[in-house]
């Protein structure tokens, strides 16, 4: 593989980079959308190879080490994502629909092995047995069985399909056990060493929810928090879930254990017939914030979508006539604040961090101004040809940029109207009480113009173990100069300065921080990311960066093809 100049300074010398806006234009950006702020791309390459089906590698294979993998890293980097897009003559429509492929990079004493396995979900097994798509996914409707007669096929249209257990989004942890998760009511427990598929777990068997996110939060006592929907005659609710820590004398049985799970808070949807889609939520040391954003689910269409022959993502719409509403909940009591915090319509998938500071709750997240992006990730779009075809798709997409919102925690009848309640000088965000029990917020842009040349950012990660819910300084993410991330970024939220790692033609996964044992500084450790390219066969490698300097320490080259994935975790061992 050709290795152009590696970039780890603030100004990488790459030809495809375009100059950012001048500082004198900064004041003009407030009225511009996040898409308009970023330069348009030209001559983007085809990335079809990143979203093609691959074979699993169940037995660990050695990798070729270039540079040095620090000997203190001891554990497994676990990744998840779509890896199979066809069964027989049937093909999926949307990238999210591909069958879950789990990856494991086992790191020990400077050596790395790679293995992968398809999740043996009911969806995967059924599709494999029939050699066609028989389970509907996010963007693909399963067609009626051709072996049925015409009346059976007609009436099957009126049956609401079972939710998929194709858990292709993330690895999550409950009571010490690993699961893979998507956004339905089903998870699958997995063995983090062999990647063996264990039992299917249905959230609704433990608590009254119909789904749960793939992005839970963990507190320092070992409890896990998540969010899930419920709906019925009384309306639609967003529920905050708590799963307690594992018991000291936990049973040694090899089985899923969600006993003690509870719903600590139920928040009614502001628009009962049009609840909001959400992918994650905010948690500080004492609070949880649920963000009700104007990506709406049409419940009537949802009930009828199989009859209409539309996939799930077709019932989601971006409706910017609605404000964004932030619901503040005391994490310890489950009490919902009577104050409703509002902001202009925006779209968010992933939050960066949140912390409390002198009566304020500071929330940092990746945000955009257009929520149509989720439905755009069809395989047809992702497989567009190089140049004009791909440019047109990419340039039509929303760009996500880091923002900071600040909630005043003490708002009551004595709080004055129309005065900025964010009084600390180090925050530029505002929050004003506009009427009784309502606060309207404006955000601070958490970046300098330099970020715009990298197309915005997503997949944020921090030193989670030490700084989740607490004040922090650094986060790591992917820059999106292409449809998929094409750079790795480190941002200092105090100075808004960037460090960048970027190669033309290489596409990094979400960066995961691993702390140096005994570290005393926030960024003492390494960044792990899986790098893939559409330019060469079997050219994937695990990249290890020094988190402090953002310089490359080493890479472990994998002798198999690996598709672009979603999320992952580091499972520390020994």
């Amino acid at each position: 593989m050709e290795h152009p100049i590696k970039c780890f300074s603030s100004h990488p010398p790459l030809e495809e980079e375009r100059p950012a806006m001048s500082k004198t234009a900064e004041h003009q950006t407030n009225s511009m959308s996040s898409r308009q702020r970023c330069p348009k791309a030209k001559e983007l390459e085809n990335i079809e190879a990143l979203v093609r089906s691959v074979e699993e590698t169940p037995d660990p294979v050695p990798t070729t080490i270039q540079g040095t993998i620090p000997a203190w890293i001891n554990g497994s980097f676990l990744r998840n994502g779509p890896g199979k897009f066809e069964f027989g003559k049937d093909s999926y429509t949307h990238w999210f629909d591909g069958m879950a492929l789990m990856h494991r990079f086992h790191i020990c004493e400077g050596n790395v092995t790679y293995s992968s396995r398809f999740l043996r979900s009911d969806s995967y097994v059924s599709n494999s047995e029939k050699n066609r798509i028989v389970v509907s996914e996010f963007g693909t409707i399963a067609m009626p069985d051709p072996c049925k007669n015409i009346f059976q096929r007609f009436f099957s249209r009126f049956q609401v399909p079972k939710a998929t257990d194709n858990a292709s989004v993330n690895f999550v942890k409950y009571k010490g056990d690993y699961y893979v998760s998507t956004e339905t009511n089903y998870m699958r427990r997995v063995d983090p060493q062999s990647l063996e598929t264990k039992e299917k777990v249905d959230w609704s068997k433990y608590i009254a929810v119909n789904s749960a996110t793939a992005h839970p939060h963990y507190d320092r006592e070992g409890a896990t928090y998540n969010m899930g929907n419920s709906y019925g005659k009384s309306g639609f609710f967003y529920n905050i879930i708590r799963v307690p820590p594992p018991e000291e004398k936990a049973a040694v049985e090899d089985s899923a254990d969600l006993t003690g799970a509870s719903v600590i808070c139920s928040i009614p949807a502001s628009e009962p017939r049009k609840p909001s889609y959400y992918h994650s939520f905010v948690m500080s040391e004492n609070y949880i914030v649920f963000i009700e954003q104007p990506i709406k689910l049409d419940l009537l269409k949802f009930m009828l979508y199989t009859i209409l022959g539309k996939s799930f993502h077709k019932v989601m719409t971006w409706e910017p006539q609605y404000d964004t509403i932030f619901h503040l909940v005391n994490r310890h009591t489950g009490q919902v604040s009577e104050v409703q915090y509002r902001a202009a319509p925006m779209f968010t998938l992933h939050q960066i961090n949140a912390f409390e500071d002198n009566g304020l709750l500071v929330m940092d997240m990746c945000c955009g101004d257009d929520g149509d992006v989720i439905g755009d990730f069809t395989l047809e779009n992702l497989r567009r040809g190089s140049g004009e075809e791909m440019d047109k798709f990419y340039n039509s997409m929303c760009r996500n940029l880091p923002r900071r919102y600040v909630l005043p925690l003490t708002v009551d009848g004595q709080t004055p109207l129309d005065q900025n309640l964010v009084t600390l000088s180090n925050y530029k965000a505002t929050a004003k009480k506009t009427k009784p029990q309502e606060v309207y917020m404006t955000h601070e842009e958490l970046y300098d113009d330099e970020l715009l040349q990298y197309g915005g950012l997503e997949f944020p990660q921090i030193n989670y173990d030490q700084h989740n819910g607490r004040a922090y300084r650094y986060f790591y993410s992917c820059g999106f100069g292409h449809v998929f991330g094409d750079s790795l970024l480190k941002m200092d939220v105090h100075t808004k300065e960037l460090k960048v790692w970027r190669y033309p033609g290489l596409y990094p996964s979400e960066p995961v921080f691993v702390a140096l044992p005994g570290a005393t500084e926030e960024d003492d450790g390494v960044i792990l990311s899986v790098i893939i390219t559409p330019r060469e066969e079997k050219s994937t490698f695990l990249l290890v960066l020094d988190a402090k300097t953002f310089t490359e320490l080493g890479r472990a080259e994998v002798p198999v093809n690996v598709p672009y994935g979603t999320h992952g975790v580091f499972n520390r061992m020994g």
Side-chain angles (χ1 to χ4, degrees):
M1 179 188 297
E2 179 186 357
H3 293 294
I5 298 173
K6 181 177 65 176
C7 305
F8 50 83
S9 69
S10 295
H11 299 282
L14 297 179
E15 291 182 2
E16 64 264 50
E17 291 173 8
R18 288 157 292 283
M21 290 184 293
S22 69
K23 293 293 182 181
T24 57
E26 186 174 359
H27 70 280
Q28 299 174 355
T29 65
N30 291 333
S31 60
M32 299 170 64
S33 73
S34 53
R35 180 195 295 128
Q36 292 172 318
R37 296 184 200 184
C38 295
K40 289 189 175 182
K42 294 181 180 179
E43 300 300 321
L44 292 178
E45 68 179 329
N46 172 269
I47 55 170
E48 183 173 359
L50 309 189
V51 289
R52 64 182 173 185
S53 297
V54 300
E55 299 295 324
E56 64 181 3
T57 308
D59 297 319
V61 296
T63 63
T64 301
I65 305 299
Q66 302 289 343
T68 301
I69 308 298
W72 59 262
I73 305 175
N74 184 20
S76 294
F77 186 33
L78 304 174
R79 296 272 305 152
N80 200 356
K84 182 174 175 61
F85 300 97
E86 304 86 21
F87 285 95
K89 297 180 180 179
D90 292 354
S91 299
Y92 289 113
T93 302
H94 200 281
W95 178 54
F96 295 172
D97 300 343
M99 294 290 98
L101 180 63
M102 303 174 290
H103 312 264
R104 178 180 185 248
F105 293 85
H106 183 60
I107 310 169
C108 183
E109 296 182 353
N111 294 308
V112 181
T113 59
Y114 170 80
S115 58
S116 65
R117 282 186 182 231
F118 282 108
L119 180 70
R120 262 54 177 188
S121 60
D122 289 352
S123 300
Y124 178 90
V125 172
S126 298
N127 293 338
S128 298
E129 289 175 348
K130 300 288 186 179
N131 198 31
R132 65 183 184 86
I133 296 173
V134 298
V135 179
S136 296
E137 300 289 343
F138 176 79
T140 306
I141 287 288
M143 291 296 102
D145 188 343
C147 295
K148 292 181 178 179
N149 63 41
I150 188 170
F151 296 105
Q152 290 172 317
R153 293 201 301 273
F154 174 75
F155 284 112
S156 70
R157 282 286 193 180
F158 294 86
Q159 298 173 356
V160 177
K162 293 182 179 179
T164 182
D165 65 336
N166 176 36
S168 62
V169 178
N170 204 1
F171 278 84
V172 298
K173 208 170 185 179
Y174 296 97
K175 291 193 169 187
D177 284 335
Y178 275 105
Y179 299 79
V180 285
S181 177
T182 179
E183 296 186 334
T184 69
N185 57 307
Y186 294 120
M187 299 187 296
R188 279 282 185 168
R189 194 168 67 93
V190 295
D191 184 322
Q193 297 189 50
S194 68
L195 301 181
E196 177 188 356
T197 302
K198 302 282 189 176
E199 70 267 41
K200 181 167 72 171
V201 176
D202 183 349
W203 275 106
S204 66
K205 302 297 184 184
Y206 293 87
I207 50 177
V209 297
N210 301 308
S211 68
T213 81
H215 288 288
H217 276 291
Y218 310 96
D219 69 18
R220 287 171 177 79
E221 291 69 49
T224 306
Y225 293 80
N226 207 338
M227 292 203 63
N229 295 331
S230 65
Y231 46 88
K233 293 181 180 179
S234 56
F236 191 104
F237 294 88
Y238 314 108
N239 302 290
I240 298 174
I241 304 162
R242 180 182 185 272
V243 178
E247 299 174 8
E248 289 186 14
K249 297 181 180 179
V252 294
E253 294 180 12
D254 184 22
S255 61
D257 178 16
L258 294 182
T259 56
S262 62
V263 172
I264 65 170
C265 173
S266 292
I267 302 167
S270 300
E271 298 289 332
R273 294 185 180 180
K274 286 189 174 182
S276 293
Y277 170 77
Y278 57 93
H279 188 70
S280 57
F281 62 100
V282 174
M283 190 172 91
S284 69
E285 288 200 290
N286 294 296
Y287 296 93
I288 284 174
V289 180
F290 167 65
I291 304 163
E292 194 173 15
Q293 59 187 352
I295 300 180
K296 298 295 185 179
L297 308 178
D298 189 314
L299 291 186
L300 179 60
K301 286 184 179 179
F302 177 70
M303 298 304 293
L304 298 174
Y305 80 124
T306 50
I307 302 172
L308 299 173
K310 293 185 177 181
S311 55
F312 180 73
H313 81 282
K314 295 292 185 181
V315 305
M316 298 170 59
T317 55
W318 170 242
E319 302 197 21
Q321 68 270 28
Y322 295 105
D323 281 347
T324 303
I325 303 174
F326 298 78
H327 299 274
L328 178 69
V329 180
N330 185 303
R331 181 166 69 86
H332 308 294
T333 67
Q335 183 68 36
V336 184
S337 172
E338 294 181 355
V339 178
Q340 197 170 80
Y341 299 85
R342 289 180 172 266
M346 64 86 170
F347 157 71
T348 182
L349 281 176
H350 301 111
Q351 285 73 59
I352 302 167
N353 198 15
F355 59 93
E356 298 151 42
D357 185 3
N358 290 292
L360 301 173
L361 178 59
V362 183
M363 304 185 307
D364 298 343
M365 58 191 76
C366 300
C367 302
D369 300 306
D370 183 348
D372 288 330
V373 63
I374 294 177
D376 289 340
F377 274 68
T378 63
L379 290 171
E380 180 182 10
N381 279 335
L382 297 178
R383 292 168 176 169
R384 290 188 181 202
S386 299
E388 183 177 352
E389 212 180 326
M390 183 60 77
D391 296 347
K392 183 178 180 181
F393 171 51
Y394 172 81
N395 290 329
S396 72
M397 294 176 63
C398 177
R399 305 287 194 279
N400 280 6
L401 297 166
R403 292 178 180 174
R404 170 167 285 177
Y405 291 86
V406 181
L407 278 67
L409 294 171
T410 305
V411 179
D412 55 27
Q414 306 304 311
T415 304
L417 292 173
D418 298 321
Q419 291 186 18
N420 184 14
L421 304 177
V422 183
T423 55
L424 297 182
S425 60
N426 51 323
Y427 301 124
K428 296 179 182 178
T430 69
K432 295 181 180 180
K433 181 181 174 183
T434 52
K435 61 178 69 172
Q437 299 183 344
E438 185 172 294
V439 170
Y440 193 85
M441 304 184 299
T442 64
H443 63 269
E444 173 185 351
E445 302 289 10
L446 202 63
Y447 63 91
D448 283 337
D449 289 349
E450 181 188 350
L451 172 65
L452 301 178
Q453 65 188 291
Y454 299 105
L457 57 80
E458 255 295 349
F459 293 150
Q461 289 283 320
I462 62 170
N463 180 342
Y464 190 95
D465 290 345
Q466 295 301 317
H467 289 272
N468 182 54
R470 296 176 175 173
Y472 76 113
R473 182 163 184 172
Y474 305 108
F475 75 89
Y476 313 90
S477 62
C478 288
F480 275 75
H482 204 304
V483 175
F484 286 141
D486 67 344
S487 63
L488 291 170
L489 309 176
K490 175 187 180 180
M491 177 169 283
D492 182 332
V493 298
H494 291 180
T495 65
K496 300 181 182 178
E497 292 178 339
L498 283 178
K499 291 185 185 296
V500 182
W501 183 95
R502 191 184 196 190
Y503 276 101
L506 298 187
Y507 297 84
S509 73
E510 166 191 67
V512 170
F513 177 85
V514 182
L516 176 72
T520 57
E521 296 186 32
E522 180 181 341
D523 58 350
D524 275 347
V526 297
I527 293 297
L528 302 180
S529 178
V530 179
I531 314 296
I532 56 178
T533 178
R535 298 183 180 184
E536 291 187 37
E537 290 288 302
K538 300 179 181 180
S539 297
T540 299
F541 60 90
L542 174 66
L543 173 69
V544 182
L545 295 179
D546 181 292
K548 188 177 291 292
T549 63
F550 231 51
T551 54
E552 181 174 331
L553 299 175
R555 55 178 69 178
E557 298 173 349
V558 181
V560 299
N561 287 321
V562 177
Y564 197 84
T566 47
H567 298 287
V569 298
F570 183 74
N571 179 28
R572 193 182 297 275
M573 296 180 183

